[in-house]
Amino acid sequence: MPSRFELANAIRALSMDAVQKAKSGHPGAPMGMADIAEVLWNDYLKHNPEDPKWADRDRFVLSNGHGSMLLYSLLHLTGYDVSLEHLQAFRQLHSPTAGHPEFGYAPGIETTTGPLGQGFANAVGFAIAEKTLAAQFNRPGHTVVDHHTWCFLGDGCLMEGISHEAASLAGTQQLGKLIALYDDNGISIDGEVEGWFTDDTAKRFEAYGWHVVPNVDGHKPDEIKAAIELAKQSDKPSLIICKTIIGFGAPNKQGKEDAHGAPLGDDEVAAARRELGWEHAPFHIPEPIYSAWDARDEGKKQQQAWKERFARYAEAHPELAREFQRRMKGELPAELGTEALIEKAQEKGESIASRKASLLALNAIGPQMPELLGGSADLAPSNLTFWEGTQAITAENPGGSYLHYGVREFGMGAVMNGIALHGGFVPYGATFLIFMEYMRNAVRMAALIGRQAIYVFTHDSIGLGEDGPTHQPIEQLTSLRTTPNLSTWRPCDAVETMAAWDAALKRHAGPTALILSRQNLPHQARSKAQLAHIQRGGYVLKDAEGTPALLLIATGSEVGLAMDAAAELEKAGHAVRVVSMPSTDRFDEQDAEYRESVLPRAVTRRIAIEAAHGDYWYKYVGLDGRIVGMTTFGESAPAGDLFKHFGFTVENIVTQANELLG
């Protein structure tokens, strides 16, 4: 039977060999954390390599994702479908072993990591999802949700500010099944971190309400095991601080920044082999070591035991069992009926703020969708996301459906990603559109990961008024719209808001941003055909008699303005078409025939109207068209004064139109 040291050395060898072959990568963290990983994966991690999506598996997150060869080595050794050929193709085009772990590329990767600190926040989301799902589904004598979230993290993760947001929330929620193991090697890219990172990490996490196990020798399996045992007994989230040597085993580079982010070099790899007593050729693992690592049989046993528990649960609670299966599959309720809600909103004809319309949508949808897990970054009364009947999730009562994230926008976004990846929930989170900037990278990561998350971004323009330019979004819409795989909606009234929610709930392959107003918006009349066309992202809201001479294209609060301007222009004898375009990405997905029917090429006189940065709209109006938009930051004043000051008036649009029409 191979020793623990030999098993850990298999990780070290595969990691340094793959980085060396790729001539790119980070060997230091995998070599330094190999002993910790060996103990965790062989003695504690509950998983089945032959069914990586088993619902009650433990979740493992490598927050220090630059050390990706650690994870790939573990997946290969324990029996996942990650081959030696995959390891040899590390960091190559279309390889499942990408430079940083990417969700969906290889089985066993629970989340995409690399931007430091976000994996740690994802782990908090996984743990929240586990605790909440357990509270919603477990019953006396029947435990079907019972797993841990394990997270590896490094100095960089702890230096990033998001670690504060996520750790603080985790402590408040008392996530006892979240265990983080910190690779305290004292080295980052610039060298020894004592020059720029002297926090007392143990005291910091104790202050958050965590259970901390300090001063663990990360190269002594007995100490690692003892620390994990202590952590598993705590009802608080745990941080195990492991002192390690980066690049362990590389005699000339271990403990130095040289081992961090570059291949060791052929000579040092050879020297490391001698130092570790690893006499095997590159990428060769002896059969006894493979056998000792293989987790497939044990994983099958663990999953089979769970299946038997679930069968007894289904017999005792058949409706709950069916609901659990539906939610874990990500299926919508059979009788959701959002199309009928769109029609009802049209019949009602309310002129209200789209943030209020969003709340009405949640009030209708929430009772039908127990998987909705909402939240707001301390702005629930302004975002209007706390719907009737929802209950707050707390440490003592985790079975609710709403998280008060506090003023933690970035943390909220990354925690939502973890919740979405866990399964069983559709997370939505809210803040002012301007504060999307705080959570921007988490939004980007959601789009890259390709999982469902819904952002409720309110106070969408200079229309928020007196709070001034610090709070008035200008360039944020363009930023969102140009993010691949992110769908963005800016509805013009209550009807389009309900349609936007419908689209967001039915979109499973990526996140959706709902951009909502503070101020009231006028209701727009529509035919049944127009109602159906809202989901196409852009449609003719008001047409001219005959061929239009001018197109007015608008979104959100400016659609009403466009309709008023069109009425004035028609009085002067001009044929004007008004196009409402709540979702540019959805419109761009339509076939050429439909797009031509809405924006005919022959009509070159076009004006786009939106109280945001205007340059995005040239793709629709052309270089000869006009844009009534923002080119500067806003000002502090009542909304009506600001719209007039910046030219969002019927008079200005009519003037612009007359100049175009000659």
Side-chain angles (χ1 to χ4, degrees):
M1 178 72 180
S3 68
R4 284 191 179 276
F5 186 61
E6 290 174 295
L7 297 179
N9 282 344
I11 297 172
R12 295 185 175 103
L14 289 172
S15 297
M16 66 184 181
D17 287 345
V19 171
Q20 193 62 31
K21 188 174 189 300
K23 297 181 172 57
S24 173
H26 299 72
M31 296 175 74
M33 296 196 79
D35 298 300
I36 304 168
E38 188 278 321
V39 170
L40 175 60
W41 280 62
N42 280 326
D43 291 9
Y44 292 100
L45 194 71
K46 182 174 69 171
H47 65 123
N48 182 1
E50 294 188 344
D51 187 0
K53 297 300 181 184
W54 165 33
D56 201 42
R57 70 193 182 278
D58 285 356
R59 272 54 167 187
F60 174 78
V61 177
L62 183 70
S63 186
N64 44 343
H66 54 273
S68 55
M69 270 308 305
L70 174 65
L71 179 55
Y72 302 147
S73 299
L74 289 163
L75 295 175
H76 170 70
L77 291 166
T78 54
Y80 287 81
D81 186 17
V82 177
S83 67
L84 271 180
E85 289 74 21
H86 292 148
L87 300 188
Q88 290 168 333
F90 178 53
R91 290 191 161 220
Q92 305 309 300
L93 184 64
H94 303 313
S95 170
T97 53
H100 292 82
E102 293 191 41
F103 175 77
Y105 270 45
I109 299 175
E110 298 285 4
T111 181
T112 301
T113 56
L116 294 176
Q118 283 199 64
F120 174 61
N122 293 166
V124 173
F126 279 117
I128 288 172
E130 190 276 340
K131 187 174 182 180
T132 300
L133 202 68
Q136 292 178 355
F137 282 97
N138 289 347
R139 292 295 181 269
H142 297 281
T143 301
V144 293
V145 181
D146 183 16
H147 53 266
H148 282 78
T149 300
W150 306 89
C151 179
F152 282 3
L153 69 158
D155 295 306
C157 297
L158 293 178
M159 282 187 262
E160 289 286 359
I162 191 173
S163 70
H164 159 76
E165 297 183 25
S168 175
L169 182 63
T172 298
Q173 289 291 336
Q174 294 181 18
L175 303 177
K177 290 184 181 173
L178 171 62
I179 300 177
L181 295 108
Y182 165 33
D183 180 27
D184 184 13
N185 60 43
I187 297 292
S188 66
I189 291 175
D190 280 359
E192 296 181 6
V193 299
E194 63 183 14
W196 46 87
F197 183 52
T198 58
D199 299 8
D200 189 328
T201 299
K203 288 183 179 177
R204 172 187 165 193
F205 273 75
E206 286 170 358
Y208 294 141
W210 284 56
H211 167 245
V212 178
V213 186
N215 302 318
V216 174
D217 188 326
H219 301 296
K220 291 185 177 179
D222 289 345
E223 287 194 27
I224 299 164
K225 278 184 65 95
I228 291 175
E229 290 295 336
L230 286 172
K232 290 189 71 175
Q233 294 169 21
S234 177
D235 59 0
K236 300 177 180 180
S238 293
L239 180 71
I240 300 172
I241 301 176
C242 300
K243 298 296 293 184
T244 63
I245 299 171
I246 192 170
F248 182 92
N252 302 302
K253 294 189 176 183
Q254 67 178 7
K256 302 175 183 177
E257 62 269 25
D258 293 353
H260 186 286
L264 296 176
D266 291 334
D267 291 344
E268 188 69 5
V269 169
R273 277 183 151 74
R274 292 191 296 272
E275 182 79 10
L276 296 168
W278 187 264
E279 300 175 352
H280 314 292
F283 296 104
H284 175 72
I285 304 295
E287 190 56 40
I289 289 181
Y290 270 134
S291 297
W293 268 108
D294 194 336
R296 287 173 291 187
D297 286 345
E298 180 62 25
K300 282 185 217 173
K301 291 176 185 175
Q302 291 175 325
Q303 185 171 3
Q304 183 58 35
W306 178 81
K307 286 180 177 179
E308 291 169 4
R309 290 201 306 274
F310 191 84
R312 294 191 293 271
Y313 175 76
E315 187 176 346
H317 304 283
E319 291 186 10
L320 276 176
R322 285 192 294 270
E323 179 71 358
F324 179 84
Q325 290 172 322
R326 176 189 73 80
R327 285 174 55 173
M328 292 308 292
K329 289 177 183 176
E331 297 174 352
L332 289 175
E335 304 298 327
L336 186 57
T338 45
E339 295 87 351
L341 293 174
I342 297 170
E343 294 177 5
K344 185 177 179 181
Q346 185 65 43
E347 292 169 4
K348 198 170 184 181
E350 287 185 293
S351 294
I352 56 176
S354 52
R355 62 171 176 156
K356 178 64 181 297
S358 173
L359 177 59
L360 296 178
L362 282 169
N363 283 336
I365 296 165
Q368 303 176 60
M369 282 194 68
E371 63 264 46
L372 271 182
L373 201 163
S376 173
D378 200 48
L379 287 168
S382 296
N383 299 144
L384 302 183
T385 44
F386 196 86
W387 52 274
E388 294 175 7
T390 193
Q391 293 184 349
I393 295 170
T394 66
E396 297 75 22
N397 297 294
S401 58
Y402 194 88
L403 274 167
H404 290 287
Y405 283 101
V407 188
R408 303 182 180 101
E409 294 89 354
F410 193 6
M412 175 176 71
V415 166
M416 286 172 61
N417 289 342
I419 292 170
L421 286 160
H422 179 279
F425 295 100
V426 176
Y428 70 89
T431 187
F432 289 177
L433 176 56
I434 191 66
F435 300 132
M436 179 278 295
E437 296 291 358
Y438 280 138
M439 60 188 293
R440 181 70 185 87
N441 203 258
V443 173
R444 181 180 188 271
M445 291 296 289
L448 180 63
I449 289 167
R451 295 288 282 193
Q452 186 177 33
I454 301 170
Y455 309 113
V456 179
F457 293 137
T458 69
H459 296 60
D460 66 346
S461 72
I462 57 172
L464 95 85
E466 293 87 345
D467 278 340
T470 59
H471 285 54
Q472 293 165 7
I474 302 297
E475 70 277 23
Q476 284 66 40
L477 266 168
T478 296
S479 177
L480 292 170
R481 286 172 175 151
T482 54
T483 301
N485 198 37
L486 171 65
S487 188
T488 302
W489 288 76
R490 188 174 184 243
C492 77
D493 64 1
V495 179
E496 285 190 0
T497 303
M498 187 64 245
W501 266 106
D502 177 58
L505 292 172
K506 292 175 178 175
R507 184 171 193 263
H508 300 288
T512 301
L514 309 181
I515 314 300
L516 308 175
S517 73
R518 177 195 185 193
Q519 72 274 26
N520 289 341
L521 306 179
H523 170 73
Q524 301 298 334
R526 294 176 185 84
S527 66
K528 285 191 175 181
Q530 286 173 314
L531 271 183
H533 284 164
I534 294 173
Q535 290 293 1
R536 305 190 82 164
Y539 63 103
V540 178
L541 181 62
K542 179 188 181 304
D543 212 353
E545 292 188 11
T547 303
L550 174 71
L551 301 181
L552 298 180
I553 311 167
T555 79
S557 53
E558 288 69 67
V559 170
L561 182 60
M563 293 289 282
D564 292 342
E568 290 298 313
L569 288 164
E570 284 189 334
K571 289 178 185 177
H574 298 299
V576 180
R577 171 181 289 184
V578 177
V579 173
S580 176
M581 196 175 288
S583 176
T584 59
D585 59 273
R586 182 64 72 92
F587 180 74
D588 290 346
E589 291 171 356
Q590 305 306 309
D591 59 78
E593 183 180 359
Y594 178 77
R595 286 184 277 118
E596 172 67 17
S597 73
V598 176
L599 300 176
R601 295 181 187 179
V603 184
T604 59
R605 296 180 177 91
R606 304 180 178 194
I607 301 175
I609 310 159
E610 186 173 65
H613 197 274
D615 285 358
Y616 179 84
W617 289 98
Y618 282 115
K619 66 184 287 187
Y620 298 109
V621 304
L623 295 178
D624 295 326
R626 299 283 179 95
I627 299 168
V628 178
M630 296 294 295
T631 58
T632 67
F633 293 114
E635 296 283 351
S636 179
D641 294 345
L642 290 172
F643 280 120
K644 184 176 181 180
H645 174 74
F646 287 107
F648 295 97
T649 63
V650 170
E651 293 77 15
N652 183 44
I653 295 168
V654 168
T655 298
Q656 299 277 347
N658 285 330
E659 290 178 5
L660 273 180
L661 293 165

